[in-house]
Each structure stands twice: as structure tokens, then as C-alpha cells.
Amino acid sequence: MHTDIHTDWAAVRNDFPILRESVNGRPLVYFDNAATSQKPQVVIDALVDYYSRYNSNVHRGVHSLSQQATSAFEAVRKQVQGFISARHEAEIIYTRGTTEAINLVAQSWGSLEVMEGDEILITGLEHHANIVPWQMLCERTGAKLVVVPINDAGEVSLQDFAEKLNPRTRMAAFSWISNALGTVNPVFEMVALAQAQGTRTLVDAAQAAPHSIIDVQALGCDFLVFSAHKMLGPTGVGILYGRLEILEQMPPVQGGGDMIKEVRFEKTTYNELPLRLEAGTPNIADVIAFGKALEYLQQLGMENIELREQELLAYATAQLKQLSGIQLVGTAADKRCVLSFLIEGAHPYDVGVLLDQMGIAIRTGHHCAQPIMDRFEIPGTCRASFAFYNSFEEIDRFVTALQKAQKMLS
Amino acid sequence: MSSFENIQQQLVEDFGFLEDWEDKYAYLIDLGKSLQPLDAAYKNENYLIKGCQSKVWLHAELEGDRIRYFADSDAFISKGIVALLVKVLDGQKPEEVLHGNLFVIDQIGLAAHLSPNRANGLGSMLKQMRAYALAYLTKTQNA
Ligand SMILES: Cc1ncc(COP(=O)(O)O)c(C=O)c1O
């Protein structure tokens, strides 16, 4: 990875064909990156290339196409391993997304290590994907879900987190960056605190992987999960990273092809990792295209991306603070890429509709994090979320549009 | 032309005078603001329409052979949309609500934004209004 301070960000925009689209007669301003990112041409081309030249099932055929598809598919596993600095390739499990990865852990690992009276610790910042699977596990086992509260700035304090940890806490599952507020959690300290208590950790990196350097060995977590579609890749691909010692113990939750060694009606023996946890024909084309997304990110350089995105967020935040009648929701000291706000006296839905009229795509609502909205006693927020390919001019247009909406809704 | 169609025609004309989207939306918001207030007794879970991002409450009553609609919302645009529907459907016969030709949405120039499959709740509002109409129709026929 390298930092290139001379990146021509205007040229970078040209790599993303959708940024040339118009919406309601105006050039699109896409500020819904936390929901899903846009895709560079290389990723789109990789899909067409795969289906045009070497579409074939993986891990099965001796014929050339199958081998070509298999090596491309497996090469991405190696790439992901590198991207997050995992020790072993077998620690990378392909899933459909973050949601499926968390459910896999809750079901499989949960069936091994969680019993009645145990506790699962999450934070008040979590996406529903990091709440509901644990609630389901608790229902199955009689374990208890414990939630670390957040403060008025939308932060989790380490002290509160430490206080909730106890010898019955089997798992601490928390997001690295909040999709609703942009808060960056002190994940290194959280993992260390949990480990000291003998608690397993799962880091929801869905919002971190697109924007920061991830080193799972330095972080020391047991599991880390993210989605390809939020980091320039296609939908339908997610990554579950797990420490090998733990993954090796985990029973498969789905049975079928690819995950077996031998099938006899009397007894079936399972395949080795990672295939043991990947039953059935995987999402071959999208995994291969995800490899191109990772390559693209690494060529730009994650430090470089992080700096750019911090500048965009700082600029947008400063602009919004100058307007009157705007309330920022989530004012954590450490924030990334997400600007959640309200126009006083206006429902977020109204703001979203009017901005859409002006070609600006933001998200409105609870952002799959209803408990956060309840915490602030609001129905939802307007959320602008940025990616490196966004520009300062787009932020200016957004601010002007916001003022217009504000006027129309007063 | 029935009053059902007349009201729609009038709305189509009113919106027709407005050229750009700002004016159309401003008009829609004004329609919402002029909506008869909904009794606070109906602003609860039971009267909430599912499937809207904002809160939309709807209540209906039968008055003779006519159906009366009362509504409110916590968002300006949703309130405008529901006000538009109330303007057309309030005071009609249940049959008209169920089977009448509702052309106003397509013709006021906001069709792209008010299409029922967008996340604006229009589809859910209409469905709920028709559900009331069907319930009252059954009731009057059985009476
Ligand atoms: C923090 C966080 N966790 C989990 C998810 C769920 O990801 P997916 O829908 O890709 O499974 C998201 C996506 O919105 C997210 O932002």
C-alpha cells in the first residue's frame, strides 16, 4: 500500500460510469455510500469478462474453464487475506454479506459455546444485522443480550463497555464504524478488554473495510465481517474472517455440495476449511469482480482514501454547522464518512424527497439502527455518507439544495 | 361528470398552472396544511398506516351513504399526498372509492414521484382508504 498525495480525484470520478448519470434532470450527487458504494468500470468489466470467457463451476471440473474459474475465485481469497492481514487463507470464508456472516457465527459458533445464563454483549450503536442474530441465539439458548449504552454524542465509552463485561460474557460483538452516525469505536481497546475477560469478539467492519486499513492480527479479534458491495464490489459477497482455531471447531450450518469430503447414507464426512462452511455453488462472478475492487482500492491506497474522506467529511460538517436550523445527530470526536442530521421542524422523509428532486441521493429513516433513533427520541435522520470519489463541489450543491429544502419546509 | 371526476379535474387544472417541481411540491404541501385537523383520539397506533417512512394516521366514518375520511401526518409531503387523496375520496360513495377512475395521480405532473411503488406510502394510503370503503359497503349492503 502506498500513499499518493498527487491523486487526481477528478480523474478518479471518471472510473465510475454511474457518476455521469442524471437524476430528475440534474447531475447525480450520490451521498448514499454507506448503503452501498458505486462500482468502478474495472469491476463491471470483470463480471462481463467472467461470463463471456470462463464461466464455469468451481472446485469440480478437470476441464480448463473450471480450473480457470477456480483459480480466479481462490485468488481473491488470497487477496482478501492480504487486505486484512489474516494469518491463513482458510480463515477467509465467503458469505453473501455481513448479515449472513454474523448469522453464521451466531448459529454455528453459538451452538458450541453459548448456554443458558451466558451473556452476549453488543453496543447501542449496532446495525440490526448485529442485533437480531444475537437475539435469536439468546432465544434458542436462554442466554442474555446485554447492551452497552451510548452517550449524547453517539459514542460508546470504554468504561461502560468494561463494566458490562463479566465472566459469563461469551461474545462481545460491536461495529467498528456506525453506519447511522459515523462514530468510530475504540475497537483495539474493546477487543483487548474482552480478551482479558476470556470473551470472544466479533467486529462488524461493514463500514470500516471501505474506508480504513484493517489488520486482524494487530486487532486480535476472533471474527471480523464485511460486505463487498460497500467497498466497490458487487452485491451478494461478504467476508467472514475467523481465527483458524475457532473456525476449525465450528460445525457447518448448511449442508450440500462443496462442503463435504465423502457422502454415504450412513455417514458424511466434511471437507476442510474454508469450503466446509461454504455449501453449494458460490457466487463466483461476484467474488472475482470483488477481487478487482480490492485491487482498485489498494492501488489508490487506503491511507490516501482515508485522508480524502476525512477532508470531505470535515468540509461538509463545517458547511452544515454554518446553517441555522440544522441539528447534527452523532457528534463523536472520531467520525468517518457519515453526516447524520435533521432540519429542525421537518421530517427526514420530506428532506429526502426534496433533495432527490434536485438530483441528490441521501438516505432518510432509521438506517437499520432503530435503537439509536429511540435513544435520541427521533423518528430517523437524514444521512449523507461520502466516498473518496465524491467532490467538494458536490457538497456545495448539497448545501445549497438543503437550504432550498429548508425554505420549502418552513 | 360525477363530483368524483370533477374534483380530480379541478386538481389537474390547479397543478397544471404550476410549471416547475418546486411550485407543484409547494402546492402539495399547502394542500396538506389546509387539511381538516384530525381528532387527537385517532392519532395512535391503531390508525397508523403501515408502509410509510413517516407517520400517517387515517380514520373513516360512514355518513348516510357517503364515506368521510380524516387524516394527518408528521411529514409535510406525506400529509400533502394524503390530503390529495382525502380531497378526492372524502364524501364519495364507497362504490366510487373502490371502483371509480382515479386519474388525478397520473395527471398532476408528479406521477414519477407519486407512483404507488415508490417509498412514499401512497399505495398503502390508498389501500387503507379502499379497505374502509369495502368494509362500509359490506355493512350498508347487509343493513
Ligand atoms: C454496520 C453495518 N453492519 C451490517 C450491515 C449489513 O450489511 P449487508 O446488508 O451487506 O449484509 C450494514 C449495512 O448496511 C452496516 O452498515
Side-chain angles (χ1 to χ4, degrees):
Chain A
M1 254 175 271
H2 59 96
T3 311
D4 177 6
I5 50 163
H6 303 299
T7 303
D8 176 356
W9 294 105
V12 164
R13 287 178 65 81
N14 290 331
D15 296 336
F16 293 79
I18 210 167
L19 300 180
R20 296 193 281 276
E21 288 295 303
S22 287
V23 166
N24 290 321
R26 337 237 153 159
L28 166 69
V29 172
Y30 185 75
F31 284 171
D32 195 15
N33 293 286
T36 198
S37 75
Q38 296 303 344
K39 323 301 172 198
Q41 193 65 49
V42 285
V43 168
I44 301 166
D45 288 347
L47 290 170
V48 176
D49 184 49
Y50 166 76
Y51 283 120
S52 315
R53 291 198 310 110
Y54 60 102
N55 169 48
S56 190
N57 212 329
V58 289
H59 306 138
R60 292 176 191 188
V62 293
H63 61 84
S64 302
L65 286 194
S66 174
Q67 301 208 358
Q68 196 182 345
T70 306
S71 17
F73 179 78
E74 288 301 326
V76 175
R77 205 187 297 275
K78 189 116 202 106
Q79 258 183 291
V80 175
Q81 180 199 346
F83 191 77
I84 63 171
S85 301
R87 246 176 241 103
H88 310 283
E89 224 174 295
E91 295 181 320
I92 308 301
I93 310 291
Y94 292 131
T95 67
R96 279 194 302 124
T98 302
T99 304
E100 189 176 73
I102 298 175
N103 276 280
L104 175 60
V105 175
Q107 284 176 35
S108 170
W109 168 85
S111 73
L112 280 182
E113 294 194 13
V114 180
M115 286 184 302
E116 189 172 349
D118 285 342
E119 294 182 5
I120 306 289
L121 186 60
I122 62 171
T123 82
L125 274 180
E126 301 313 309
H127 186 281
H128 295 164
N130 200 26
I131 303 175
V132 185
W134 304 117
Q135 281 176 326
M136 291 162 72
L137 174 64
C138 288
E139 248 165 58
R140 275 200 304 281
T141 57
K144 191 172 140 206
L145 190 70
V146 179
V147 183
V148 188
I150 54 175
N151 65 18
D152 289 341
E155 296 165 313
V156 174
S157 94
L158 281 174
Q159 195 183 341
D160 289 343
F161 180 75
E163 272 169 20
K164 298 275 186 198
L165 279 167
N166 69 56
R168 293 306 301 261
T169 316
R170 289 283 162 269
M171 165 68 79
F174 44 84
S175 48
W176 189 325
I177 299 178
S178 152
N179 68 303
L181 305 181
T183 309
V184 182
N185 276 323
V187 284
F188 285 83
E189 292 82 352
M190 290 165 87
V191 169
L193 282 167
Q195 261 171 0
Q197 190 61 260
T199 299
R200 301 267 189 229
T201 48
L202 178 143
V203 177
D204 175 353
Q207 296 296 338
H211 311 295
S212 12
I213 295 170
I214 293 181
D215 180 335
V216 289
Q217 291 186 61
L219 183 56
C221 57
D222 295 306
F223 300 101
L224 182 132
V225 296
F226 53 96
S227 299
H229 72 91
K230 293 186 194 285
M231 49 197 300
L232 318 188
T235 51
V237 178
I239 299 297
L240 164 63
Y241 156 82
R243 281 204 300 132
L244 197 61
E245 311 85 271
I246 307 173
L247 287 182
E248 274 171 344
Q249 306 299 317
M250 281 167 47
V253 291
Q254 286 188 15
D258 270 0
M259 54 77 70
I260 44 85
K261 191 177 281 163
E262 276 194 325
V263 176
R264 297 275 142 49
F265 286 123
E266 300 73 40
K267 172 138 185 77
T268 287
T269 48
Y270 298 143
N271 206 337
E272 308 286 312
L273 282 173
L275 296 190
R276 190 160 59 77
L277 295 173
E278 295 174 359
T281 298
N283 191 349
I284 306 164
D286 292 313
V287 164
I288 292 172
F290 179 40
K292 294 294 172 197
L294 290 174
E295 228 174 85
Y296 187 96
L297 286 171
Q298 286 181 312
Q299 269 165 16
L300 266 183
M302 292 311 286
E303 296 101 330
N304 199 21
I305 288 173
E306 208 170 338
L307 280 177
R308 163 78 174 178
E309 291 175 339
Q310 273 171 345
E311 282 174 14
L312 290 169
L313 179 66
Y315 181 72
T317 307
Q319 296 290 304
L320 242 58
K321 276 187 174 160
Q322 283 183 2
L323 305 183
S324 62
I326 303 268
Q327 179 198 344
L328 296 185
V329 183
T331 46
D334 194 4
K335 265 182 79 168
R336 220 49 59 77
C337 290
V338 171
L339 195 54
S340 243
F341 64 92
L342 291 168
I343 290 186
E344 279 161 21
H347 196 285
Y349 166 80
D350 288 331
V351 181
V353 170
L354 296 182
L355 288 188
D356 177 57
Q357 280 301 311
M358 299 180 255
I360 297 169
I362 62 159
R363 186 64 151 235
T364 61
H366 55 58
H367 318 299
C368 293
Q370 235 166 340
I372 301 181
M373 304 306 139
D374 293 345
R375 163 67 176 76
F376 289 103
E377 297 176 359
I378 51 179
T381 71
C382 308
R383 181 187 74 184
S385 54
F386 309 109
F388 58 83
Y389 46 71
N390 289 131
S391 68
F392 296 98
E393 296 76 48
E394 285 179 316
I395 293 174
D396 290 340
R397 268 188 59 199
F398 161 67
V399 172
T400 308
L402 206 56
Q403 285 170 291
K404 186 164 190 169
Q406 196 173 21
K407 211 161 123 204
M408 288 182 70
L409 295 169
S410 59
Chain B
M1 245 198 293
S2 70
S3 86
F4 179 67
E5 283 175 356
N6 270 329
I7 297 168
Q8 296 190 71
Q9 201 56 51
Q10 188 59 53
L11 280 164
V12 170
E13 276 172 32
D14 291 348
F15 273 96
F17 287 120
L18 308 169
E19 294 209 340
D20 50 24
W21 70 270
E22 283 110 310
D23 293 337
K24 287 184 198 287
Y25 267 99
Y27 192 69
L28 191 69
I29 290 170
D30 282 344
L31 276 182
K33 286 181 177 162
S34 63
L35 192 63
Q36 185 185 339
L38 176 70
D39 193 312
Y42 300 113
K43 284 202 204 172
N44 64 46
E45 281 294 309
N46 297 335
Y47 296 87
L48 213 48
I49 295 178
K50 307 270 180 303
C52 309
Q53 234 190 55
S54 55
K55 288 196 166 117
V56 180
W57 301 274
L58 178 76
H59 167 62
E61 284 171 10
L62 199 61
E63 215 174 273
D65 63 348
R66 306 282 162 160
I67 190 159
R68 302 293 320 268
Y69 290 103
F70 307 89
D72 198 359
S73 169
D74 64 348
F76 289 123
I77 293 171
S78 310
K79 194 165 169 175
I81 297 172
V82 82
L84 185 72
L85 294 176
V86 167
K87 216 168 171 67
V88 176
L89 301 178
D90 179 41
Q92 303 296 342
K93 292 185 173 164
E95 294 93 321
E96 199 91 65
V97 174
L98 286 169
H99 308 298
N101 175 18
L102 190 69
F103 56 84
V104 67
I105 309 288
D106 288 333
Q107 296 189 9
I108 57 171
L110 285 172
H113 320 291
L114 297 185
S115 88
N117 53 14
R118 287 187 63 129
N120 53 36
L122 179 78
S124 313
M125 294 175 200
L126 203 50
K127 201 168 141 201
Q128 189 61 31
M129 293 173 105
R130 287 184 168 147
Y132 272 118
L134 187 62
Y136 286 135
L137 186 65
T138 321
K139 204 165 142 189
T140 47
Q141 282 171 347
N142 291 343

